[in-house]
Structure formats: structure tokens, C-alpha cells
Amino acid sequence: MQDLSRFQHPRFARAYDRMSRRAEPVTGELRTRLLDGLSGRVLEVGAGNGLSFPHYPRGVREVVAVEPDDVLRAAAERAAATAPVPVRVVPGHAGALPSGPAEFDAVVVSLVLCSVPDPAGALAELRRVLKPGGELRFFEHVRSDRPVRGLLQDLVTPVWSRVAGGCHPNRDTAAAIGAAGLVIEEHDRFTHRIPGAPPLAHILGRARNP
């Protein structure tokens, strides 16, 4: 069994759980867009408290939801009980996924890649478990393309990452996805704000494992 002790941030996890639930009336619409049209077996990496589960379409045969944080994983297990599709919540982290190669038709990451310690290694793992032709669906906050805001994100990242569960708000996640060998087929960029947080640049889209 994996040692997940370095991924435990109970204070932040409880704050994130409250904040994400308050934001769900707005964020839920984005989750529906993210998951629309999925089918077959899906791996959700960094499932958090399971707020995405109600948005999975009926064509999905099974969701394997990986979450390293104990507090959030417990919430995800409760959410799985009422999901419209079968969801199995398991412990694990993006850098060493508990799955074999080419097991999944799609992989989903939602507000996750900002906080993984090694984005390139995590994306290599996501690609490893995707079938050839499978999809990566992503919804992430990223570095602003406005110079002043981007610079501010660079400046606050060292402190912010320590208090916010490892979150790095200044990552260029779209570039990292492409560098991992995944082909981005759709990519929307927009500003999104959740209660209690500043407006941040986000991306939402899909990439293919060639």
C-alpha cells in the first residue's frame, strides 16, 4: 500500500470542502461540460470530495476515483453512494497510479494538476493508464496571460503552495499536457471565481492519447 502521509493536509481539506460546496451552483455547470459525452471506464485522479460524481453521464460504465487525502477521500466515498454511475473510490496519487497500462477509456482531472509535486511525472502516469485514442478531460486553474496578474501569481506561489495543499497557481498546464505527448483537441480559457477566492484563469478541454 502506498505511503500517502505527504499528501495529508487536513486543515486545507476541510476548508476546500466547504468552499467547493459553496461554489457548486456555478462550478457544477463546468463539471457537466467537462464530463459530457464520456463512456466506458473512467479514471478520475484527485477526486477530492466527489462533487463531480453527480455529473457523470449514464454511458460511463465505471469510475475509479483516486484521492490521496484522507479527509477528502472520506467525503468522496459518501458521495459515491448516491452517484448515478458506479464509482469506486481508492487511495492513491497522480505520480504512481494504482492501475495498469491502457486500462481506461478516459482520465479526468479537475483542479488537480496545480497541486501535484511533479506535473510532468503525473501526466506521464495519466497517459500510461489511457488506452490509445483515449481522452484526457481537464479543468484546471492556470497562470494568467495578463503580465501583471501572472507576475503576482509567481510572487505568491511559494507561500500559497505551503498553505493551500501544494497548489501552484502559476502553472502553464496546457503546455505541460502537450509536452506529455497528449494532443489537445479542445481548449477553452476563461476567468472563474469561487466564493472566498480571487478570480483566476482557468482552462477546460480535452486531449487525446495518440
Side-chain angles (χ1 to χ4, degrees):
M1 186 173 178
Q2 294 180 351
D3 178 8
L4 300 177
S5 57
R6 65 190 174 112
F7 297 98
Q8 305 309 310
H9 306 283
R11 182 177 298 177
F12 173 75
R14 288 190 289 269
Y16 175 81
D17 186 44
R18 293 190 299 269
M19 184 171 59
S20 61
R21 292 181 191 281
R22 288 199 302 269
E24 189 58 13
V26 175
T27 308
E29 297 178 10
L30 297 171
R31 298 186 199 278
T32 298
R33 283 180 55 194
L34 175 69
L35 304 176
D36 183 52
L38 287 178
S39 61
R41 294 190 74 222
V42 178
L43 179 71
E44 182 172 345
V45 180
N49 51 2
L51 288 184
S52 64
F53 298 167
H55 301 274
Y56 276 97
R58 297 285 182 176
V60 171
R61 187 168 73 252
E62 180 190 28
V63 176
V64 178
V66 177
E67 173 53 48
D69 185 273
D70 292 347
V71 172
L72 294 176
R73 190 169 63 254
E77 289 170 347
R78 293 190 293 271
T82 58
V85 299
V87 177
R88 178 163 55 93
V89 180
V90 299
H93 65 91
L97 293 170
S99 303
E103 280 196 20
F104 294 95
D105 300 289
V107 172
V108 173
V109 285
S110 176
L111 307 177
V112 169
L113 294 176
C114 62
S115 61
V116 297
D118 175 12
L123 284 162
E125 272 290 275
L126 302 188
R127 188 177 179 190
R128 179 183 69 82
V129 302
L130 263 178
K131 294 179 179 178
E135 284 188 325
L136 171 68
R137 298 288 184 96
F138 55 89
F139 168 42
E140 299 287 339
H141 68 80
V142 294
R143 190 181 192 275
S144 176
D145 55 5
R146 297 183 180 183
V148 173
R149 288 189 180 181
L151 178 59
L152 287 173
Q153 287 176 303
D154 293 340
L155 292 173
V156 303
T157 289
V159 174
W160 181 253
S161 64
R162 288 197 293 270
V163 300
C167 172
H168 292 69
N170 64 340
R171 286 182 172 168
D172 186 349
T173 298
I177 290 170
L182 296 159
V183 180
I184 295 179
E185 298 182 334
E186 182 179 316
H187 174 200
D188 292 336
R189 186 181 181 99
F190 53 92
T191 299
H192 177 53
R193 180 173 187 169
I194 62 176
L200 293 173
H202 285 67
I203 56 173
L204 189 152
R206 56 186 173 86
R208 185 79 57 183
N209 186 21

